[in-house]
Amino acid sequence: MLKSMFDVDIDTYKMPRTVILEGSAGIGKTTLLRKAMLEWADGKLYRQFTYAFYLSGREISQEKEKSFAQLISKNWPPSEGPIEQILSKYSNLLFIIDSFDELDFSFEEPEFALCKDWTQKHPVSFLISSLLRKVMLPKSFLLVTARSTAWKRLMPLLQNPHCVKFPGLSKNARIGYIRHLLKDKTWAMEATCSIRRNERLFNMCHVWHVLQTICSCLKEQVEKGDNVAVTCQTTTALFTCYICSLFSQMDKSSVTLPNETIMRNLCQAAAEGIWTMKHMLYKKNLRKHELTTNDISVFLDMKVLQKDREYQNCYAFTHLHVQEFFAALFYFLKENPEENDHPIQPFDNLHLLLESDHLHDPHLEQMKCFLFGLLNKDRVQQLEETFKFTIPMDIKGELLMGLEALEKDDFHSSELRLMELFHYLYETQDKEFITQALSYFPKIAVKIEEETQLFICSFCLKHCCSLQTIKLTAMAKLKNKVDLDHIAETCLEDSVYWTDWTVTDYWKDLFSVLHTNESLREMNLYESSLDESLMKILSEELSHPKCKLQKLLPGEIGHKMMGIKKELIVDFNECTLRVLSEKSSFHVGCPGPLLLESCDLNRYRCLKLSEALCGNRSLVFLNLSTNNLTNHGVSSLCKVLGNPACCIERLCLASCGITKAMCEVLSLAITQSKRLTHLSLADNFLEDEGIKLLSNALRYPQCTLQSLVLRCCSFTSIGSEFLSTALLNNRNLVHLDLGYNRLEDSGIKLLCYILQQPTCALQELELMGCVLQSEGCLDLAFVLANNPNLWSLDLGNNNIKDAGLHILCDALKSSNCHIRRLGLENCGLTHVCCQDLLSLFTNSQSLIQINLMKNAFSYNTIRNFCKVLRSPSCKIKFIADYISFLILELLYLRVPF
């Protein structure tokens, strides 16, 4: 590791000038660097550097004002020559800054205030900041060690650093050392498996000192007759036992236990250190938190704190996790702000702590784990019996209020943050609190990629009683139960092993939410990858009598649902979606939607579905989009639609491989259906001939269609004329989508004439991407001024330009115009039409929604729009954010199906 740190980068062919050695607290970074210094001195390492300077973060923090030359020349041997001469040739110098997180500096100096001259005296904080930011000695080389938790504080200071991670003990080594330290084979296996099962606890063991602490704690638990598995269940449970053991030792000595005030002061110092990523307690820290020399002595005797061997008046917690534990305890012991004379500090703010996340604030993560874990009444009782004072639990209410506020901030939309919350809630082992906390989250999105996440989710979701919608991305593969006798040999692998349950049991536990939670109505599995065994579990849960699910979005797993040895049956019983493992066919019961989009529903399966639909009197919405039905599959469906007993009202067949050859059959089904009101045939190759056949069906008085989507169906102005004629006497059709067909101005002309006739009932017209020009706007203007029914018109992605808009604006301002929603996205508009639009915004009597996105408006134009849109007299609802007038986005939302 040491030898390769300054190797030439294969991409840039340059040697990195700044290297970070990152690793957990106590992992051995300082030992490694001191070894590096010795090997450099012996000429065995880093021979490219003429001089190497070792700077201890702990030592530097006690210095005040010096020049950089004075700072590094302490104990400088006279035989090496003047330090000034060495620094003048700094391109071959290596500066090692050990323990960045122990530097008691804020690093808030602006770059212009930093110093370049290493001979001038400055506060030491300025000198180190100047060195790190390459303002001073810019061509020198840096090697910095830092804890993983200090990443956020360090990275902004450095330029293009090369990062090297110090991994600590491997998983293999951890297992070996645990078994070695525990020795007693009668319970060592149970303890090993219990630690391995708790991934967070097992990860802590990659630091040798923590591993020793955990093992010694477990030994004590066994000697007391306590259950090792319970102690290892959460990190809080184990560290509570450890902390209590430290304080219990004081009962045998003459030292008095610290009272509540002293404990609060210690916890406050711990919390501030975690927040600021400063882990050393110097004199000024002790004074600030009212900790006396006697107080420190007591905590030193307890082995809560340790004194630095080299530097006076410098203390630290025995380990970072001990500091994190006391920092979490601070939130239970802190005084009421109204009763405290001291100003409120950022680390006092519980809401800020809840808002933090692992990605941006990794240094707070374990403290939060302990915070939630200490909500457990057993943990609190242990501490109260040990400390001899009561620990208030008012924080429960504060946390619940904080979680409610997070949900309102769209916290639920982040899978990562919800998984973090689940980890924290699991740490509580308090089912009542988990139920209360999750009652604020009716919508949840979680991603499961490994067994630990499965374990945590299965525990928490059972208590999420108010859950209405869940998006579950499940990527983990099902694993078989591991033989306990074989664990000692196999638990070196990456997966987590369960002692009493199989992974299958946890999947069953997770999916049981489908019947235990009667509020759950929608499940989205669109991005999941489930094997056959998991699909069977899902099928069984969906078939449970108490399952109230109404909407299942299977996505990529849809075809697997249909391929499970026995066919799946979709039963909508009392508006409930249920999937049963019975034979041969689909069965559809009471009202509800059947969503089989992108489910590999081929010709044969379509035939099976059609047979199931024949006797069905309940299904009202059928979505078969993006399935290769082909003409044969559609033919079988059309026979069902033509059946007078069929109750299908909404049918979506977008992108199903339908051609003009099937339009005659479709037309017949449309005329025979007594219920069909919405039909989508988007993205099918119907052409003009197909449109002609469908238009014939629209002429029939018996046609019940209210909405027809023909977007991207490859027809032209000829097909448009067929449709226009059919609309003349159709009193039912109110929504027509002709988008992305090549109608051109000629195709729109007859349609506009029909739209002006009193017998045409059309209300919503979609003409996006129909190759319309500004000339066609004359015909549209007549429609706008004379049609009392049309209220929604979308002309987006047409080249109507400023001239066309000018024509439309005059009509839109007419008192006879009833248009409320207008789409003009990407229509070639520029600042030239600004006055027309401003006049429209001010004078339109009906327009409330307009889409002007993707047009070449200038900054000033947008600013003028925003001024008018802010006016109370403007009726347009401006549904977009225009902070600082940088963006104008008028959202126009329209989903036919």
Side-chain angles (χ1 to χ4, degrees):
M1 178 185 291
L2 285 173
K3 291 181 180 179
S4 60
M5 281 186 183
F6 287 96
D7 284 351
V8 174
D9 190 295
I10 57 174
D11 294 324
T12 62
Y13 300 103
K14 294 180 180 178
M15 186 166 63
R17 291 192 173 273
T18 302
V19 175
I20 304 173
L21 179 61
E22 173 211 351
S24 302
I27 205 168
K29 300 184 296 296
T30 297
T31 302
L32 187 70
L33 283 196
R34 289 182 175 179
K35 180 184 177 183
M37 285 296 293
L38 291 173
E39 293 202 5
W40 169 80
D42 290 339
K44 298 177 182 178
L45 188 68
Y46 303 150
R47 296 174 69 180
Q48 67 268 41
F49 303 125
T50 308
Y51 289 93
F53 297 88
Y54 177 88
L55 300 170
S56 165
R58 199 172 302 181
E59 182 179 6
I60 294 171
S61 294
Q62 300 190 75
E63 300 287 353
K64 294 184 179 178
E65 188 172 294
K66 285 187 175 183
S67 70
F68 187 71
Q70 291 172 330
L71 181 67
I72 65 172
S73 60
K74 186 178 181 180
N75 302 320
W76 185 254
S79 59
E80 292 296 333
I83 190 70
E84 292 80 8
Q85 185 177 346
I86 292 168
L87 288 177
S88 63
K89 300 177 181 179
Y90 58 82
S91 60
N92 58 354
L93 301 182
L94 171 64
F95 295 98
I96 297 176
I97 299 179
D98 186 23
S99 302
F100 169 83
D101 34 87
E102 293 178 0
L103 292 170
D104 195 24
F105 307 143
S106 63
F107 294 109
E108 294 175 351
E109 306 88 357
E111 188 163 331
F112 68 83
L114 298 177
C115 54
K116 297 181 181 180
D117 190 345
W118 38 264
T119 64
Q120 289 185 355
K121 286 188 176 182
H122 290 281
V124 172
S125 60
F126 268 56
L127 299 177
I128 298 302
S129 187
S130 301
L131 182 67
L132 289 171
R133 298 188 197 187
K134 293 290 184 179
V135 173
M136 181 189 292
L137 306 172
K139 293 185 180 180
S140 62
F141 291 82
L142 285 176
L143 175 54
V144 185
T145 70
R147 296 178 182 181
S148 306
T149 52
W151 206 249
K152 180 181 178 182
R153 185 165 161 244
L154 172 60
M155 289 303 288
L157 304 175
L158 305 178
Q159 297 178 7
N160 304 316
H162 171 60
C163 304
V164 179
K165 190 170 181 64
F166 196 170
L169 296 175
S170 67
K171 293 181 180 181
N172 197 334
R174 278 175 254 171
I175 296 292
Y177 279 124
I178 291 170
R179 294 174 65 190
H180 171 72
L181 290 169
L182 297 178
K183 293 179 182 178
D184 189 339
K185 292 183 179 179
T186 57
W187 64 273
M189 172 112 87
E190 180 188 354
T192 302
C193 292
S194 297
I195 294 173
R196 187 68 185 90
R197 182 183 182 187
N198 186 332
E199 192 70 12
R200 186 178 290 273
L201 189 62
F202 185 65
N203 286 340
M204 287 180 174
C205 290
H206 79 292
V207 178
W208 168 249
H209 173 57
V210 178
L211 188 149
Q212 285 181 305
T213 300
I214 289 172
C215 288
S216 63
C217 182
L218 291 180
K219 277 185 179 180
E220 287 187 23
Q221 297 305 303
V222 170
E223 290 168 2
K224 291 180 185 178
D226 292 338
N227 190 325
V228 170
V230 173
T231 304
C232 293
Q233 193 171 33
T234 65
T235 56
T236 311
L238 189 138
F239 273 87
T240 300
C241 291
Y242 174 67
I243 297 298
C244 289
S245 70
L246 297 180
F247 279 77
S248 298
Q249 294 171 12
M250 302 306 295
D251 293 339
K252 303 172 185 177
S253 65
S254 58
V255 178
T256 306
L257 281 171
N259 60 32
E260 185 177 349
T261 301
I262 296 173
M263 284 296 299
R264 183 185 300 114
N265 293 341
L266 179 74
C267 293
Q268 187 180 53
E272 184 180 41
I274 294 298
W275 272 87
T276 58
M277 292 171 278
K278 298 175 184 177
H279 306 288
M280 301 306 300
L281 290 171
Y282 299 102
K283 264 187 177 180
K284 63 178 181 180
N285 303 114
L286 303 178
R287 288 195 298 268
K288 177 180 178 181
H289 297 291
E290 301 178 9
L291 289 167
T292 67
T293 304
N294 289 335
D295 299 336
I296 294 297
S297 297
V298 172
F299 291 122
L300 287 172
D301 291 339
M302 289 180 174
K303 297 181 181 178
V304 170
L305 295 178
Q306 59 187 359
K307 187 174 183 179
D308 192 271
R309 296 176 183 177
E310 299 179 26
Y311 308 108
Q312 291 294 321
N313 301 314
C314 185
Y315 306 91
F317 287 85
T318 50
H319 193 272
L320 176 63
H321 297 319
V322 174
Q323 182 178 357
E324 290 166 333
F325 187 92
F326 283 104
L329 189 58
F330 164 71
Y331 294 95
F332 292 80
L333 300 179
K334 70 174 185 174
E335 297 174 324
N336 189 320
E338 296 176 0
E339 301 172 1
N340 190 357
D341 296 332
H342 302 296
I344 297 176
Q345 301 294 325
F347 61 85
D348 280 322
N349 193 325
L350 194 61
H351 187 70
L352 280 180
L353 181 61
L354 288 177
E355 282 185 328
S356 68
D357 63 80
H358 171 69
L359 187 63
H360 299 96
D361 305 289
H363 58 293
L364 302 177
E365 183 182 17
Q366 186 56 49
M367 179 177 67
K368 285 170 74 175
C369 267
F370 286 144
L371 172 66
F372 278 87
L374 289 173
L375 297 176
N376 185 283
K377 61 181 181 181
D378 293 333
R379 306 288 85 78
V380 173
Q381 185 178 348
Q382 276 181 274
L383 292 172
E384 288 180 337
E385 291 174 355
T386 302
F387 295 159
K388 312 300 185 191
F389 59 76
T390 302
I391 297 177
M393 295 300 289
D394 300 341
I395 192 174
K396 271 193 175 183
E398 290 184 60
L399 284 172
L400 290 172
M401 289 172 60
L403 291 174
E404 183 179 12
L406 286 182
E407 196 282 331
K408 291 177 181 177
D409 293 337
D410 287 335
F411 180 93
H412 63 269
S413 63
S414 168
E415 294 175 357
L416 290 174
R417 297 200 69 190
L418 270 169
M419 187 57 73
E420 279 186 46
L421 176 61
F422 279 7
H423 273 88
Y424 301 142
L425 293 176
Y426 174 79
E427 197 80 14
T428 69
Q429 292 294 300
D430 184 335
K431 297 176 182 178
E432 183 180 342
F433 179 81
I434 294 172
T435 300
Q436 286 181 284
L438 293 179
S439 66
Y440 306 122
F441 298 88
K443 297 180 180 180
I444 277 180
V446 290
K447 188 172 186 177
I448 299 175
E449 297 181 293
E450 55 188 38
E451 287 86 345
T452 304
Q453 294 170 335
L454 168 63
F455 176 52
I456 299 295
C457 283
S458 68
F459 181 84
C460 291
L461 284 176
K462 286 187 298 185
H463 308 295
C464 193
C465 300
S466 302
L467 185 61
Q468 298 172 13
T469 301
I470 179 171
K471 178 186 176 184
L472 177 64
T473 305
M475 308 303 292
K477 293 182 179 178
L478 200 62
K479 292 179 175 64
N480 296 322
K481 186 173 181 179
V482 179
D483 186 355
L484 291 181
D485 295 333
H486 193 52
I487 284 184
E489 306 298 329
T490 59
C491 64
L492 302 180
E493 298 178 10
D494 284 346
S495 53
V496 177
Y497 293 91
W498 322 104
T499 55
D500 48 356
W501 276 34
T502 66
V503 177
T504 308
D505 291 321
Y506 285 106
W507 276 117
K508 288 180 179 178
D509 209 33
L510 186 144
F511 280 118
S512 68
V513 70
L514 290 167
H515 77 264
T516 58
N517 189 330
E518 296 190 359
S519 302
L520 189 60
R521 292 293 180 269
E522 180 177 338
M523 174 176 273
N524 185 339
L525 297 170
Y526 193 76
E527 296 176 359
S528 294
S529 177
L530 308 184
D531 59 18
E532 186 173 307
S533 300
L534 291 186
M535 290 307 305
K536 186 175 181 181
I537 294 172
L538 175 60
S539 167
E540 290 170 354
E541 286 299 329
L542 288 167
S543 69
H544 197 285
K546 291 186 177 179
C547 177
K548 303 295 183 183
L549 202 69
Q550 293 181 352
K551 189 175 182 181
L552 175 65
L553 302 176
E556 294 179 4
I557 68 170
H559 66 282
K560 294 182 181 178
M561 293 177 68
M562 302 180 66
I564 300 175
K565 298 178 182 178
K566 299 175 181 179
E567 291 283 357
L568 296 178
I569 299 172
V570 183
D571 179 12
F572 288 82
N573 185 14
E574 297 179 359
C575 297
T576 300
L577 172 65
R578 299 197 293 153
V579 182
L580 310 176
S581 277
E582 295 184 8
K583 291 184 180 179
S584 74
S585 64
F586 288 92
H587 170 69
V588 186
C590 291
L594 178 55
L595 306 173
L596 294 173
E597 184 175 354
S598 303
C599 288
D600 194 24
L601 196 64
N602 57 24
R603 171 187 175 185
Y604 170 75
R605 288 170 177 160
C606 192
L607 180 61
K608 287 289 185 182
L609 177 60
S610 301
E611 291 172 359
L613 292 171
C614 279
N616 178 269
R617 295 180 176 275
S618 305
L619 187 69
V620 294
F621 177 20
L622 180 61
N623 185 348
L624 301 176
S625 296
T626 323
N627 285 290
N628 188 27
L629 305 185
T630 69
N631 293 337
H632 296 286
V634 175
S635 180
S636 61
L637 283 173
C638 285
K639 290 178 182 178
V640 178
L641 291 173
N643 189 325
C646 178
C647 296
I648 295 289
E649 296 176 4
R650 300 166 64 89
L651 177 63
C652 194
L653 299 174
S655 192
C656 285
I658 304 172
T659 66
K660 60 185 178 183
M662 282 312 302
C663 287
E664 187 171 0
V665 178
L666 271 170
S667 297
L668 182 61
I670 291 170
T671 56
Q672 292 178 341
S673 173
K674 305 297 183 184
R675 298 284 189 89
L676 191 65
T677 57
H678 294 70
L679 175 63
S680 175
L681 297 172
D683 293 292
N684 289 294
F685 196 62
L686 306 184
E687 303 179 273
D688 291 326
E689 293 89 335
I691 297 299
K692 180 179 180 181
L693 294 169
L694 291 173
S695 299
N696 290 336
L698 295 176
R699 289 194 179 95
Y700 277 80
Q702 299 94 328
C703 179
T704 56
L705 275 185
Q706 297 174 16
S707 174
L708 179 60
V709 178
L710 297 172
R711 182 174 295 206
C712 297
C713 285
S714 303
F715 61 91
T716 68
S717 58
I718 298 172
S720 175
E721 291 180 7
F722 292 135
L723 283 169
S724 301
T725 308
L727 291 174
L728 186 58
N729 293 303
N730 187 307
R731 307 295 299 179
N732 293 319
L733 195 70
V734 293
H735 172 243
L736 181 61
D737 187 345
L738 304 179
Y740 298 99
N741 293 289
R742 196 175 183 82
L743 307 188
E744 301 180 323
D745 294 342
S746 58
I748 207 74
K749 195 172 190 65
L750 180 58
L751 179 61
C752 288
Y753 172 76
I754 297 298
L755 286 169
Q756 296 176 59
Q757 306 309 309
T759 54
C760 180
L762 205 65
Q763 298 177 14
E764 302 169 59
L765 180 60
E766 316 273 348
L767 294 174
M768 290 184 68
C770 287
V771 201
L772 306 181
Q773 307 293 328
S774 54
E775 291 79 4
C777 292
L778 286 169
D779 295 309
L780 286 167
F782 282 112
V783 174
L784 298 177
N786 295 293
N787 188 313
N789 300 319
L790 192 68
W791 65 270
S792 177
L793 177 64
D794 197 336
L795 301 173
N797 288 291
N798 286 297
N799 195 28
I800 66 172
K801 298 185 179 179
D802 299 324
L805 180 65
H806 179 74
I807 297 169
L808 293 176
C809 282
D810 287 340
L812 288 165
K813 288 183 286 185
S814 168
S815 58
N816 295 326
C817 178
H818 297 278
I819 291 292
R820 284 183 283 165
R821 188 162 57 193
L822 179 65
L824 294 171
E825 179 180 340
N826 193 24
C827 283
L829 307 181
T830 70
H831 68 281
V832 174
C833 68
C834 178
Q835 291 305 317
D836 285 322
L837 285 171
L838 293 175
S839 176
L840 175 63
F841 293 167
T842 306
N843 298 311
S844 173
Q845 300 300 308
S846 59
L847 192 64
I848 59 173
Q849 203 169 45
I850 185 170
N851 181 356
L852 294 172
M853 294 173 65
K854 299 182 182 179
N855 287 292
F857 295 129
S858 65
Y859 171 83
N860 288 331
T861 301
I862 294 173
R863 186 172 63 178
N864 289 333
F865 289 166
C866 293
K867 286 180 180 178
V868 174
L869 289 165
R870 284 174 172 174
S871 170
S873 62
C874 180
K875 295 182 179 180
I876 291 179
K877 295 179 180 178
F878 184 52
I879 315 173
D881 196 2
Y882 48 92
I883 297 172
S884 303
F885 307 115
L886 293 178
I887 294 178
L888 178 65
E889 290 181 346
L890 303 177
L891 301 181
Y892 171 53
L893 305 176
R894 182 79 180 94
V895 183
F897 272 83

